[in-house]
Amino acid sequence: MKKIKPTIVVFGCTGTVGTEVMKQLKEYNCKVRGVLRDPERSYPVSPTLNITYVSASLFSMEQLVNACRGADAVFLLTATSPNQVEYEMNIIDAAKQCGVKRIVKLSAPIMQMAAHVEVSQWHHQIDKYLMQNIEEYCCLRPHSFMQNWERNTFTIQCFGKIYGALGNVKRNYIDCRDVATVAVNFLLTPEVVKEESVILAGPQAFTNTEIAAKLSHVTGQKIEYIDISPEEFFKLLTKRAKLPVWLANHIVELDKLAIHVREPEQDTVTELIARTPRIIDEYFQESRDLFKKKSIWKMLTGPK
């Protein structure tokens, strides 16, 4: 008798990490079901016999139960928002109702007393709920994603500048593709999974000044880091970038966190992915066109 393929349900399947989880799971002998919050959303990976999709409101228990039905494991990731605690607890409840055995969750680093990051507190509240309600669990805790530098493309392209409140402190960056590989391994392993905290650190940590030098090298253009106060940074994010207050607070808090709690300078994932992780120079080389300077006039008046 043939062994039944496991069914893996992926929440956050259209995000940077979730899309890569879908792509990597496609290569394994399993059924993958991506969950879309918007039924009109484009598919991150084309549907096949083994890649399917459902749509579900994160407020609807009926729809979430339908999304989790028959699943062996769930990858849990929703977009960061003030509703995240409610959304992810709803998903955990639906998974439990469906008898899902394992949830692998993308979480946040555990905070020290010296730092406060509101979004991390949301994650830790969800983590606790997960461990109380699901038999097998894994909380992945990356510090910073290399791909998060794409948030800075506007000021880099238009002005050749990176703004922040990090001073000369280093932050550790990991490629989302490596994070996805760790997640896939935990989703599919036949071993029992009870991991409260899997720290995911990339191979190196850098100051923003060092990052600016790397971007200058790959783009062939001068890019510099401008260090400003946390108050100035918050004002820039809310007034100029028009970010919501909670998100601007989160970005400023992450810089404060790195200042108060030193981030790793060596990787923690080589043994988890059975290879050395990607270095940030590889990511910047692949993505160099995203950071090349453009005319601000063209940026503002180009095709919508």
Side-chain angles (χ1 to χ4, degrees):
M1 182 180 294
K2 290 185 177 179
K3 185 177 179 180
I4 297 175
K5 296 179 181 179
T7 296
I8 312 298
V9 172
V10 180
F11 285 88
C13 67
T14 61
T16 306
V17 177
T19 295
E20 189 60 31
V21 168
M22 295 286 291
K23 289 179 179 178
Q24 293 187 25
L25 283 172
K26 182 181 179 181
E27 303 304 315
Y28 289 87
N29 186 31
C30 62
K31 179 180 177 182
V32 187
R33 182 187 303 150
V35 183
L36 305 170
R37 293 172 61 179
D38 178 1
E40 297 298 321
R41 186 72 182 265
S42 298
Y43 300 133
V45 179
S46 297
T48 64
L49 185 62
N50 289 340
I51 300 288
T52 62
Y53 294 89
V54 295
S55 59
S57 165
L58 301 185
F59 286 120
S60 171
M61 186 55 58
E62 179 183 0
Q63 292 177 16
L64 290 174
V65 166
N66 186 58
C68 293
R69 196 176 305 279
D72 296 285
V74 165
F75 177 69
L76 177 54
L77 171 61
T78 64
T80 302
S81 78
N83 292 322
Q84 189 167 5
V85 174
E86 180 179 5
Y87 286 159
E88 297 197 2
M89 285 186 175
N90 285 346
I91 294 169
I92 292 168
D93 287 342
K96 182 178 182 180
Q97 186 173 328
C98 290
V100 173
K101 183 178 180 180
R102 178 183 304 171
I103 292 182
V104 175
K105 177 185 180 298
L106 191 66
S107 189
I110 296 175
M111 295 298 97
Q112 306 295 324
M113 292 297 292
H116 170 82
V117 179
E118 185 178 17
V119 171
S120 293
Q121 292 180 341
W122 299 346
H123 276 291
H124 299 155
Q125 185 178 347
I126 301 163
D127 296 345
K128 184 177 180 180
Y129 193 75
L130 169 61
M131 290 181 275
Q132 290 172 340
N133 286 278
I134 299 297
E135 181 180 349
E136 295 188 28
Y137 48 81
C138 177
C139 296
L140 305 178
R141 304 189 187 280
H143 283 271
S144 302
F145 299 121
M146 295 177 187
Q147 285 77 5
N148 282 354
W149 277 102
E150 294 169 24
R151 297 173 179 170
N152 297 275
T153 54
F154 182 80
T155 59
I156 293 172
Q157 289 176 348
C158 294
F159 311 112
K161 299 184 188 302
I162 298 168
Y163 293 93
L166 196 60
N168 289 318
V169 172
K170 294 184 176 183
R171 296 190 67 182
N172 181 279
Y173 298 95
I174 187 167
D175 195 294
C176 285
R177 291 167 290 186
D178 291 333
V179 173
T181 300
V182 175
V184 167
N185 289 344
F186 277 115
L187 286 166
L188 296 177
T189 180
E191 305 296 327
V192 174
V193 175
K194 290 185 182 290
E195 298 285 353
E196 295 184 19
S197 182
V198 179
I199 305 300
L200 302 183
Q204 296 166 287
F206 299 100
T207 67
N208 280 353
T209 300
E210 291 171 329
I211 292 293
K214 289 179 178 296
L215 286 170
S216 296
H217 171 69
V218 299
T219 62
Q221 300 164 338
K222 176 62 176 176
I223 296 170
E224 60 180 331
Y225 170 57
I226 307 298
D227 194 62
I228 55 182
S229 70
E231 295 75 20
E232 291 173 311
F233 193 25
F234 176 79
K235 185 176 180 181
L236 182 69
L237 293 169
T238 53
K239 303 301 182 183
R240 294 288 185 88
K242 305 297 184 183
L243 296 184
V245 169
W246 70 265
L247 181 54
N249 265 327
H250 178 53
I251 293 172
V252 173
E253 285 177 345
L254 288 177
D255 276 5
K256 290 180 180 178
L257 172 63
I259 291 170
H260 287 100
V261 182
R262 184 174 178 178
E263 296 191 4
E265 294 196 30
Q266 295 180 343
D267 87 85
T268 63
V269 300
T270 294
E271 292 185 3
L272 295 173
I273 61 178
R275 60 170 171 77
T276 56
R278 294 173 177 85
I279 61 174
I280 202 165
D281 301 76
E282 292 175 294
Y283 163 69
F284 282 147
Q285 185 65 43
E286 293 171 5
S287 309
R288 65 186 186 276
D289 289 343
L290 294 174
F291 301 101
K292 288 185 176 180
K293 291 182 186 178
K294 298 179 181 179
S295 163
I296 188 169
W297 176 252
K298 290 182 179 179
M299 289 281 291
L300 296 175
T301 62
K304 298 294 189 289

